Amino acid sequence: MDIKNFAACFIDLLGQKNTLLGQGLVPEVTDLASYQKFESSVGNSVGHIKNLHDNFELLSKQYRRSTEISNFYTKEQSDAVEKANCVIQRWSDGMVLYTSVDNDHRKLSISAVHEIFMYAGIFCFLGLAQKQPLRGGMEISWGWERNGCEIYGAVVANAYKEEQKAKLGRISVGSICVAYLLDLLQSSPMDLYQDANRRCAKSCLEMLYQENDNFYIDYLGAEFYKKFFSQNKDFWGEQYQLALGFTKEQILQHKASKCLELESRYEKVLEYFELRTANFV
């Protein structure tokens, strides 16, 4: 059994269990009213899951072609980056993105951690823009990979704990992950590969914001915008307005229904969006 260190991020689409609870067999097509209701339910559940997975495939291609990312590495480093992809483990109403964190610095495994930061942040942003909020949690710990696409161990438990902490519209990053990145940042690089890992760790840390003792991916922040949104400003500006509008709608809806917990969570998201408005105007 090969036990290694891994970085893993849980991505969880919210509200899916309530949407699916109590449903039964596929209705007959001849029962038009029932079938239309069924189709609507499928779109609000399976449709959102499919959309999340499709976004992953699209973003993975865009990440590799990004000028900002390709200019970040030399030709030799880029060859190592190509092999340091993160793995996706699909499950129920979400996914787990993970990668081994290798002691061999020439494998540039921190580039895959950087990639997970990107996916998680954009998923969180697009989820709000598409009226399908999610949350996530990321951590680095020991784990065991089975069949090349399934991850178990402390990293799963710790990432799941961070995901619960995120509440809504955020990706929480654990203290072990932050400490690991800080250690890399403070190291003295001995070659180009160690230097690439250090610069990658620096970029990851610049994509975080701190709230009390907790860290979250700053997916609307300046570093994130520079790396991933600056090449298509109009599109991401539109997504910002859609996400902002949805958040305000949810606050009014939960205020009217006196659901104080969800009202408070969306108000926290709104506060974050308003703090980052300057990056999208």
Side-chain angles (χ1 to χ4, degrees), residues 85-156:
N85 293 333
C86 68
V87 179
I88 176 175
Q89 178 178 329
R90 295 175 171 86
W91 56 280
S92 184
D93 51 359
M95 60 174 63
V96 180
L97 306 174
Y98 72 90
T99 182
S100 62
V101 181
D102 206 289
N103 290 329
D104 183 354
H105 63 277
R106 295 181 66 85
K107 293 186 176 180
L108 292 182
S109 58
I110 300 304
S111 68
V113 175
H114 191 270
E115 192 171 2
I116 292 174
F117 269 53
M118 183 274 291
Y119 294 142
I122 293 180
F123 288 156
C124 206
F125 185 13
L126 288 178
L128 291 166
Q130 296 169 359
K131 301 186 177 184
Q132 183 51 61
L134 55 80
R135 66 186 180 194
M138 182 166 181
E139 187 56 292
I140 293 179
S141 305
W142 69 263
W144 171 55
E145 186 179 32
R146 181 175 179 270
N147 297 329
C149 62
E150 299 174 35
I151 186 70
Y152 301 89
V155 68
V156 175

Side-chain angles (χ1 to χ4, degrees), residues 21-55:
L21 190 65
Q23 295 187 34
L25 301 177
V26 177
E28 295 294 333
V29 180
T30 52
D31 185 349
L32 186 59
S34 295
Y35 196 80
Q36 287 178 337
K37 183 178 179 182
F38 168 74
E39 284 187 318
S40 176
S41 177
V42 169
N44 288 326
S45 55
V46 178
H48 288 306
I49 300 297
K50 182 181 182 301
N51 190 44
L52 178 64
H53 294 166
D54 289 347
N55 282 342

Side-chain angles (χ1 to χ4, degrees), residues 18 110 151 160 265:
N18 289 336
I110 300 304
I151 186 70
Y160 180 72
R265 290 181 182 182

Side-chain angles (χ1 to χ4, degrees), residues 22 35-36 68 75 78 93 101 123-124 155 158 173 195 218 226 255 281:
Y35 196 80
Q36 287 178 337
E68 185 70 36
K75 174 60 172 68
S78 295
D93 51 359
V101 181
F123 288 156
C124 206
V155 68
N158 292 338
V173 179
D195 179 60
D218 192 6
K226 180 180 74 173
K255 186 188 292 290
V281 296

